[in-house]
Amino acid sequence: MARGTTIPDRPTSRRMGALGALWPFVRRYRGQMALALVALVATSAISLILPLAVRRVVDNFDDGAGLLDDYFGAALMVVALLALGTAARYYFVTRLGERVVADIRKAVYARVITLSPAFFERVMTGEILSRITTDTTLIQSVIGSSLSIALRNTLILAGGMAMLAITSVKLMGLVLLIVPAILIPIIVLGRRLRGLSRANQDWIAASSGAASETLLAVQTVQAYTHEARSIARFDDVTERSFAVALTRIRTRALMTAIVIFLIFAGVIGVLWIGARDVQAGAMTAGELVQFVIYAILVAGSTGALSEIWGELQRAAGASERLGELLAAEDALRDPPRPVPLPRPVRGRIELRDVGFRYPTRPDVSALENVSLTIRPGETVALVGPSGAGKTTVIQLIQRFWDPRSGQVTLDGIDLRDMARADFRQAIALVPQDPVIFAASAMENIRLGRPDAPPEQVREAARAAHAHDFIEALPQGYDTPLGERGVMLSGGQRQRIALARAILRDAPVLLLDEATSALDAESESLVQAAVSRLSEGRTTVVVAHRLATVKKADRIVVFDGGRVVAQGSHDDLVAQGGLYARLARMQFTDMPVLTELA
């Protein structure tokens, strides 16, 4: 199977206790739950009263029209109460289900959005979205419908069995003989259903993951005419999901057929014996009719419970999967008592003997014993071949990862001793591949400072040389930019990202290939904006194009995860070595298929 469609190994849900994970969300609404329970008990009790009324009508059929009128009038009142109680039960239970699912979705999203990049290396975004949508829909169905129906049928089953015993102990004893035969297939096949339900949900999540991965890169897929292979890959995952679902459906259909046959075959047998007792005068016709109705209620409740059991098992699997997200262990954690970053922030950054390896590539050292001090207000450029460790330094400064050895500090404080939300407020980032959200241009720039007034947003756009093209959009700054900024060119997206950084006005500025997607004219304009922006700020620039970093205060050359040289452009060229070789490649007429590509 292709990468990204593999189902992680997880323990199969062996018990319905997984539904207990929903209790913290349900208990917040005890009052609403109590109202639903009152309505539930009331409707169940009314359902159990009706057979008594029918018995009285049958046994007193010859006692006159007046008494019959009274009985039928009372029956009409009971039916009206049943309708009102059922409506109340539906309202309170369905409302509770919708409210609980909304809370679960919010909790899962709030948890996932704070997890570090290490988590997203293991779990695909599409699978997470599947859990937030498909799994929560299952839970909504259970809390808002199946659970109340299960409780109602349980009450009717218990009450009906009691009334059967009151009506005829002999016939009741025969009914009890049928129960073990009904429970055996429910228990045996139910265990298989639990595993199949969990596997079915996992494959649905894998299908969503495969779809989201290719749809987010649809232009690349089409450019390389990879549509047929992508379709085949998605078809394969979807068919596997269908195969598991089909096995689950067959198992559940078999269980339903067995249970229903045993229930009604048993009822027919009991009624046959009861009919002979009426003929022998051992019981009245009304008592037999009452017993028949209660037997039908008990049989119907048992059948309904066997149906709902499958739904509860699917919900247990869904609850387990959502619980995994809520309980996901993050590789990075804020300390219990974080040290506050002193304000104003000076912006002194230090890497002290830092070593780091990515979890997915544990055999490859991304950084090896790197020590680097960046003084407040200094502009430092990181250059070197691809994979040399430049972007890793940027990520460590933001504490997206923790070094395996050594320290990364800001103003002398280890990043691990501070709250990430605290020190990240002092950092502005312009990434190599800027992300544009499906919101307006105004809101996309406001990501840098959400409370910024419109005029400050426009000033930031002007400084990033983005104002003119934004104003030319159909609705100006209010124009939606489409998912991932499909309406914009690469250079325009990068200038939006630069405007965010300018608006943030942070003391530390990180530029990761910030001008790589710009044409020569735009690059010149943006370079001027970056030069103004970096004044008085600690600026770390990652660049492949050496022309963009010639004026940096210091250039640090990386190779193989190590610092191999540092100094000014002229000094490094004079020293020879890797930087001088790269500079010759870029500043002569040689092809640009270099080590930096």
Side-chain angles (χ1 to χ4, degrees):
M1 187 184 298
R3 179 191 172 275
T5 60
T6 302
I7 301 296
D9 292 331
R10 301 188 188 94
T12 304
S13 179
R14 302 298 296 176
R15 54 192 176 86
M16 298 299 290
L19 290 172
L22 303 178
W23 176 242
F25 296 95
V26 176
R27 67 184 177 193
R28 305 172 190 171
Y29 307 103
R30 290 189 182 92
Q32 195 170 318
M33 194 165 47
L35 290 172
L37 191 60
V38 168
L40 184 68
V41 172
T43 53
S44 301
I46 292 170
S47 298
L48 291 171
I49 290 172
L50 281 174
L52 293 174
V54 174
R55 171 191 170 183
R56 289 185 178 275
V57 170
V58 172
D59 284 341
N60 297 284
F61 193 77
D62 298 327
D63 290 351
L67 189 59
L68 282 177
D69 291 344
D70 292 340
Y71 277 125
F72 277 103
L76 188 61
M77 291 292 294
V78 170
V79 170
L81 290 173
L82 180 63
L84 289 174
T86 302
R89 175 182 63 84
Y90 171 81
Y91 173 78
F92 289 120
V93 170
T94 305
R95 179 182 171 185
L96 177 65
E98 294 285 356
R99 181 68 266 170
V100 167
V101 165
D103 289 349
I104 291 173
R105 282 177 174 158
K106 291 194 294 184
V108 171
Y109 179 79
R111 175 59 181 156
V112 170
I113 199 68
T114 62
L115 294 173
S116 61
F119 175 80
F120 295 95
E121 284 198 343
R122 294 182 288 107
V123 182
M124 290 190 68
T125 305
E127 181 172 350
I128 296 171
L129 294 176
S130 173
R131 296 190 191 191
I132 293 176
T133 54
T134 308
D135 288 357
T136 52
T137 299
L138 274 176
I139 291 171
Q140 190 278 331
S141 174
V142 167
I143 297 177
S145 175
S146 301
L147 197 57
S148 71
I149 294 174
L151 290 172
R152 180 176 179 273
N153 281 286
T154 300
L155 291 174
I156 290 177
L157 178 62
M161 294 290 280
M163 295 305 297
L164 285 176
I166 292 171
T167 306
S168 173
V169 175
K170 172 187 173 183
L171 296 181
M172 171 63 182
L174 294 175
V175 169
L176 289 178
L177 293 176
I178 305 170
V179 174
I182 297 171
L183 291 177
I184 289 172
I186 291 177
I187 293 171
V188 173
L189 295 176
R191 289 179 179 173
R192 177 163 173 74
L193 272 176
R194 277 198 296 273
L196 291 171
S197 297
R198 177 59 188 266
N200 187 202
Q201 289 304 110
D202 281 342
W203 278 109
I204 290 173
S207 178
S208 297
S212 68
E213 185 178 43
T214 50
L215 290 175
L216 288 173
V218 66
Q219 292 185 11
T220 302
V221 171
Q222 293 174 358
Y224 283 91
T225 60
H226 203 269
E227 297 96 330
R229 296 179 70 87
S230 296
I231 292 169
R233 173 187 168 195
F234 183 79
D235 287 352
D236 176 62
V237 179
T238 304
E239 285 300 318
R240 290 180 184 229
S241 173
F242 174 73
V244 175
L246 192 60
T247 305
R248 175 181 59 79
I249 291 168
R250 286 171 179 163
T251 304
R252 185 168 173 180
L254 177 63
M255 183 179 77
T256 301
I258 293 173
V259 169
I260 289 178
F261 175 78
L262 291 175
I263 288 172
F264 286 97
V267 168
I268 290 171
V270 170
L271 292 182
W272 174 66
I273 295 173
R276 294 177 67 87
D277 285 346
V278 172
Q279 282 186 331
M283 65 188 305
T284 68
E287 287 174 333
L288 179 60
V289 171
Q290 176 180 310
F291 190 90
V292 168
I293 295 173
Y294 279 126
I296 291 172
L297 286 175
V298 168
S301 297
T302 307
L305 286 173
S306 69
E307 285 281 323
I308 292 167
W309 186 250
E311 292 296 324
L312 293 177
Q313 288 168 331
R314 293 188 71 193
S319 301
E320 198 170 41
R321 287 157 49 85
L322 289 168
E324 288 174 0
L325 287 182
L326 290 170
E329 289 291 331
D330 197 353
L332 302 182
R333 294 182 182 179
D334 289 338
R337 296 180 180 177
V339 177
L341 180 63
R343 263 62 176 186
V345 177
R346 296 172 55 242
R348 181 183 179 88
I349 299 171
E350 288 186 76
L351 281 72
R352 302 172 181 170
D353 201 24
V354 168
F356 177 73
R357 300 185 181 195
Y358 286 98
T360 53
R361 303 187 298 275
D363 299 331
V364 179
S365 181
L367 292 177
E368 191 73 33
N369 301 322
V370 172
S371 293
L372 178 65
T373 299
I374 304 171
R375 296 181 294 274
E378 185 181 20
T379 297
V380 171
L382 311 181
V383 302
S386 293
K390 307 180 299 296
T391 297
T392 302
V393 171
I394 294 286
Q395 293 184 337
L396 289 176
I397 291 173
Q398 297 169 92
R399 204 192 168 205
F400 288 147
W401 307 93
D402 278 339
R404 296 185 65 175
S405 61
Q407 289 181 307
V408 181
T409 68
L410 177 59
D411 285 354
I413 305 173
D414 194 317
L415 298 185
R416 289 171 289 199
D417 294 334
M418 294 184 285
R420 284 167 288 176
D422 181 24
F423 71 78
R424 283 176 185 170
Q425 290 178 353
I427 299 174
L429 170 70
V430 182
Q432 180 177 2
D433 184 18
V435 174
I436 304 298
F437 296 94
S440 67
M442 177 75 69
E443 291 306 311
N444 266 283
I445 296 174
R446 268 201 181 123
L447 189 69
R449 188 152 54 89
D451 58 348
E455 189 50 44
Q456 288 189 10
V457 174
R458 289 185 173 89
E459 285 299 322
R462 287 189 186 97
H465 297 279
H467 176 75
D468 291 343
F469 79 75
I470 292 176
E471 282 289 355
L473 294 173
Q475 301 170 48
Y477 280 83
D478 295 326
T479 304
L481 301 182
E483 187 179 20
R484 300 179 69 84
V486 293
M487 291 182 60
L488 306 178
S489 68
Q492 288 172 335
R493 288 197 296 270
Q494 210 139 24
R495 277 180 277 174
I496 292 283
L498 183 58
R500 283 178 190 160
I502 293 171
L503 184 64
R504 192 166 182 82
D505 193 24
V508 176
L509 178 62
L510 305 178
L511 304 172
D512 189 359
E513 289 292 333
T515 61
S516 63
L518 302 181
D519 56 64
E521 182 180 1
S522 297
E523 181 179 7
S524 176
L525 295 172
V526 172
Q527 275 298 117
V530 169
S531 297
R532 290 196 302 271
L533 178 61
S534 61
E535 291 177 3
R537 289 179 171 82
T538 303
T539 305
V540 182
V541 182
V542 171
H544 282 160
R545 288 153 63 170
L546 303 186
T548 63
V549 299
K550 288 177 66 176
K551 295 181 180 179
D553 297 324
R554 186 158 41 112
I555 298 172
V556 180
V557 185
F558 280 80
D559 190 21
R562 296 176 179 271
V563 175
V564 296
Q566 54 183 308
S568 68
H569 170 76
D570 293 337
D571 290 342
L572 291 172
V573 169
Q575 291 175 15
L578 175 60
Y579 185 86
R581 187 166 72 254
L582 299 176
R584 283 196 302 273
M585 286 178 169
Q586 293 195 23
F587 296 134
T588 65
D589 293 332
M590 292 180 68
V592 190
L593 297 175
T594 71
E595 295 177 62
L596 296 175

